[in-house]
Every structure is written in structure tokens, then in C-alpha cells.
Amino acid sequence: MHDPRALLDAETDAVRRLARRGYTLDVSALEDLLSRRNKTIQSVDEMRAESNQVAKQVPQVARAGGDATELKDRARQLKEEIRDREEEQERLNAELRELLLSVPNLPLDKAPDGDSDEFAVEVRRHGTPPAFPFEPKDHVSLGEAMGILDFGRATKLSGPRFSVARGAGAALERALATLFLDLHTRQHGYTEYSVPTLVTRETMTGTGQLPKFEEDLFKTRTGDRDLYLVPTAEVPLTNLHAGEIIDPAKLPLAFTAQTPCYRSEAGSYGRDTRGLIRLHQFAKVEMVRLCQPEDSQVQLAAMVEHAEACLAALDLAYRVVLLPAGDMGFSAQLTYDLEVWLPGQSRYREISSVSDCGTFQGRRANIRTRDADGKRRFVATLNGSGLPIGRTLAAVLEQHQRQDGSVVLPETLAHHTGFRVIQPDGTPQE
């Protein structure tokens, strides 16, 4: 959420930057709401001052033997007027908050222009996409042929866009999560957390999923209590320090967690309906960092490297791209995507987004620290996938497949699975 005065003080720049991501800031509506809210606050303050003065005059008049009837009537009138104005102030505050919560973060000028992945700028590539002497299969054909993935039974259980992993497939999922968490905690300096995956509306609002993206969330209701299933561990991890002031000496903070993630994928029907690419439920290891605002770009570069290390450890070919302003997430001011090569599709596909959110989420969740002069300020927050289990499993199967339908795992992963090869019938082999 933005400071409305900051948006208006930098009106031209804010309008320009928001337009780059396809958002039109209603400056007139913002100015009108802010003006009416401020006038109401001023009016309430003036009436309270008068009310206090009248309250002092009543006993003075009474002690002097005078008639305080008019003063008492005025006191009652002021009480009613203050109540009405306070109700008006609350209504205007709610309208202003609703408007501000709908305004996305301001993209940095470093983000290229454009509104889709076609405008992403390639930064670098790692590895060479494998060249097969046969027609490579996609992960669905491989996994179902080996019996380690079962989308039919998943559909029976829960409907479309769910998956079941079996035997070596389930072991592979577990091993991937362990590998990623080991890398992040032992080499990259993150503290591992186990966090709730049902969270409050306030928690979702803090990271920007609400109110704008409610239709893309799963929600459960028990009695009069609503809880949301997290779309990513970014939500609980970032909000761990909501409403707190963090000692600057402890920054940066680095958190990681593996959680199930739930997304309704509203508006995406017909896209990526086959396989593990776009599911309603999937597992993911997430990275989150909190830091001083001026350090966010350095932290962003480090997080991109940490996500890359996960792909490199699996001997996967991938590339890094800088997203255009119009294709970034709601809370991001700058985002790098990691795209892994999928032979079954003969293209790079997004496997991780790493975003610098500046102080956008810090302000929404009221997470603060202090600057060098001891003045309170909002922290910068960053988040990134490190990595999603399903999409990574798909890439491992496709890039490391052999002509006979088997898959040879990279050594780093075999260390965690206890086997190096998955035979065509799904049998693991050391």
C-alpha cells in the first residue's frame, strides 16, 4: 500500500511508472478522498476543542449562579456532531484504504517496457539444452509410462489440475525439497521455518494477495472465521514480523520454507492443463529476505544466484530474464525470472520468479526498522521460488531422459534419493 501523499507529491512520476505496468492512477479520486478525509479530521479536532471548552464553562457558569442550559445543549449537540463526523471519517478512511490497496507497486525504471513475456530481456544462459538422438517425451508421457505419476487418479480424487506421485516419483519430490532446503540453509544462509498454510485476511493483505486477487485464492470458513490457503510461503514468511520494529543490526533476515501452495488459477483455463506446470496444489520451497531499502538490489542479485544454484545442482539448462514492467507481480518493483528448458515443449518455461518489492509489502504489513539516524522506516522485502517441486521434477525427467524411457538422475539428487536411475517401469536403481 502506498502513502497517498507520496503518490500525489510525485504525481507525474507515479502516474508514468504505473502506466508502464498498465495501471491508470485515478489522481482526481485520490485527491478528492484525501481532501475530504483531511477536512473531516480537522473538523472533528475543532469540534472536540470546542467541546472541551464548553465542558469547562458549564461548571464555571453554575458556580457563578448563572444559567448553563444553552451550554449544556451545545455540549449535547457537539457530542452528536462529533459522532457523525467520526463515522464519516471512518467511512472515508475505508474508501481511501480500499483505493490505495488496489494500486500496484511502482516499477523501477530498470524494468523494460512491455506487458508480456515477449518483452522480457534475456540476461544470461546456463548450460546447453540437451540434444537427443530421438524424439524426447514430455514429463507426462514419461511419468505415466513409468508409473511414477498418475494424473487420472488425481482427477478422480480432486478433479482436474491435481497430481499423484508414486514410488520413485514421490521419493523424487521429497528429495528435491530436501536438496533445495539443504542448499539454502547450509550454503546460502537462510533460516528454515515450518509455517501455517492457513492464514488470515490481514496476512494475505500484507503481501498484496488481497483484496485484488481474491478470486485466485482458496478459502475455508469455520463458523464465522475465514482462513485462506496460501498460494506461496512468501505470505506467512513475510508476515512473520508484521507489526514489528526489527533491530537494524539483525538485517538482512533470510527465511526459507517448504509448503504446499494452493491457487485457483482463475482466468487461466485452457492453459497448461497437461501435467505439472499449472496445478491447483503443488509443493514449493520459498525464499524471503527482509532488509534496509537501499540494500534491496544487492539482496535481489543474491537471491537470483541462490535460485540458480538449485538448477545448476541438477544439471539443468536454464536462462535468466528481466521481466518487463507490465508483466511483473502486483507487489514487485523489479523481477527476474528463471526459465528452465523443457524438451517436451522445445522451449524455456518459467520455474522461478525472484522479486524485489521495495517497501511496498513492508508498509502494508507495517514491518519497520530504523535508519542510521535511528528514525523509523519500512523494511524492503524480497521473495523468490527456490524452487517449485513439480516444475523442477518435470524438468529433471525431461532433460535427463534416455531413449529407452528411463531417467538418469544427477549425482547431487541421487545422494538424496538413494538411487541414480529410474527404470522404464518405474523401478529405482542405484
Side-chain angles (χ1 to χ4, degrees):
M1 186 169 68
H2 298 278
D3 178 348
R5 291 172 296 275
L7 283 178
L8 294 174
D9 288 345
E11 176 186 324
T12 302
D13 185 59
V15 169
R16 176 188 65 81
R17 292 168 66 185
L18 288 169
R20 294 184 65 227
R21 64 183 307 157
Y23 183 89
T24 302
L25 178 64
D26 193 336
V27 175
S28 297
L30 179 57
E31 287 178 331
D32 178 63
L33 271 175
L34 191 60
S35 174
R36 286 191 289 144
R37 196 277 305 267
N38 291 343
K39 287 179 181 178
T40 302
I41 292 174
Q42 181 180 357
S43 176
V44 169
D45 289 343
E46 291 172 351
M47 285 188 290
R48 280 179 180 156
E50 183 183 353
S51 179
N52 291 336
Q53 186 64 33
V54 169
K56 292 177 181 178
Q57 291 175 346
V58 169
Q60 293 174 351
V61 171
R63 282 195 299 269
D67 185 359
T69 301
E70 289 187 8
L71 287 172
K72 291 179 179 179
D73 288 343
R74 179 56 180 162
R76 284 191 291 269
Q77 181 184 9
L78 282 169
K79 185 177 180 179
E80 292 177 0
E81 289 180 357
I82 289 172
R83 185 193 63 231
D84 291 343
R85 285 300 178 92
E86 286 179 335
E87 290 177 357
E88 174 71 3
Q89 181 181 331
E90 289 179 6
R91 184 183 67 79
L92 290 171
N93 278 335
E95 287 186 28
L96 182 60
R97 175 178 169 80
E98 183 178 2
L99 188 155
L100 292 172
L101 286 175
S102 71
V103 180
N105 202 354
L106 305 179
L108 297 182
D109 288 340
K110 184 177 180 179
D113 290 329
D115 58 1
S116 71
D117 57 8
E118 297 178 2
F119 298 92
V121 175
E122 184 174 305
V123 177
R124 59 181 170 271
R125 293 191 180 196
H126 175 89
T128 303
F132 299 100
F134 57 90
E135 184 68 27
K137 298 178 181 178
D138 67 15
H139 66 279
V140 179
S141 299
L142 284 165
E144 289 186 330
M146 290 187 290
I148 64 173
L149 296 177
D150 192 333
F151 297 99
R153 286 189 170 88
T155 300
K156 179 174 66 175
L157 294 173
S158 304
R161 295 201 176 185
F162 288 88
S163 67
V164 166
R166 169 185 175 274
L172 189 52
E173 288 187 344
R174 174 164 45 87
L176 285 167
T178 303
L179 171 63
F180 298 156
L181 289 170
D182 282 353
L183 283 171
H184 296 321
T185 57
R186 297 177 183 178
Q187 297 185 25
H188 302 152
Y190 291 79
T191 299
E192 183 179 356
Y193 277 80
S194 176
V195 291
T197 55
L198 286 168
V199 298
T200 65
R201 184 175 189 87
E202 291 73 22
T203 301
M204 283 288 192
T205 302
T207 41
Q209 279 74 24
L210 288 177
K212 185 175 178 59
F213 301 103
E214 185 147 9
E215 69 171 5
D216 203 30
L217 301 172
F218 284 102
K219 180 172 68 174
T220 181
R221 185 174 185 84
T222 302
D224 60 351
R225 186 183 185 194
D226 289 335
L227 288 173
Y228 293 83
L229 282 73
V230 299
T232 165
E234 166 203 344
V235 177
L237 287 175
T238 303
N239 280 280
L240 284 171
H241 290 282
E244 298 180 17
I245 300 175
I246 302 172
D247 182 349
K250 295 181 178 179
L251 295 175
L253 294 174
F255 310 141
T256 188
Q258 178 208 1
T259 65
C261 304
Y262 303 90
R263 301 181 185 181
S264 73
E265 298 291 354
S268 67
Y269 296 103
R271 293 193 297 141
D272 294 321
T273 56
R274 178 178 167 82
L276 299 170
I277 302 302
R278 197 181 295 274
L279 298 173
H280 290 312
Q281 177 186 331
F282 59 96
K284 180 158 68 79
V285 174
E286 185 74 1
M287 305 176 293
V288 164
R289 295 177 85 88
L290 279 60
C291 67
Q292 295 283 11
E294 61 270 19
D295 297 333
S296 68
Q297 286 293 288
V298 172
Q299 298 299 319
L300 179 63
M303 291 181 70
V304 172
E305 290 181 3
H306 299 159
E308 286 188 77
C310 295
L311 291 170
L314 296 170
D315 295 330
L316 294 173
Y318 67 88
R319 69 174 186 167
V320 179
V321 300
L322 179 61
L323 289 192
D327 197 36
M328 296 192 301
F330 181 81
S331 298
Q333 65 176 11
L334 194 70
T335 297
Y336 288 93
D337 268 8
L338 277 64
E339 298 181 345
V340 69
W341 179 259
L342 290 183
Q345 298 184 15
S346 296
R347 58 181 293 205
Y348 288 100
R349 294 301 307 271
E350 182 259 316
I351 195 169
S352 173
S353 286
V354 186
S355 297
D356 174 7
C357 298
T359 58
F360 184 80
Q361 293 178 329
R363 180 180 293 276
R364 291 173 76 106
N366 193 26
I367 310 171
R368 293 174 292 171
T369 187
R370 298 182 188 276
D371 62 16
D373 297 325
K375 185 179 179 181
R376 292 179 182 180
R377 66 198 311 209
F378 294 106
V379 300
T381 65
L382 303 96
N383 63 80
S385 301
L387 296 166
I389 306 305
R391 291 192 180 197
T392 308
L393 189 152
V396 168
L397 293 181
E398 293 193 19
Q399 286 202 35
H400 297 303
Q401 64 181 291
R402 296 193 298 194
Q403 189 166 3
D404 65 356
S406 64
V407 172
V408 180
L409 303 181
E411 188 61 41
T412 50
L413 190 54
H415 172 73
H416 292 281
T417 61
F419 55 86
R420 184 68 190 275
V421 178
I422 307 176
Q423 298 285 14
D425 64 356
T427 302
Q429 178 183 323
E430 293 185 9

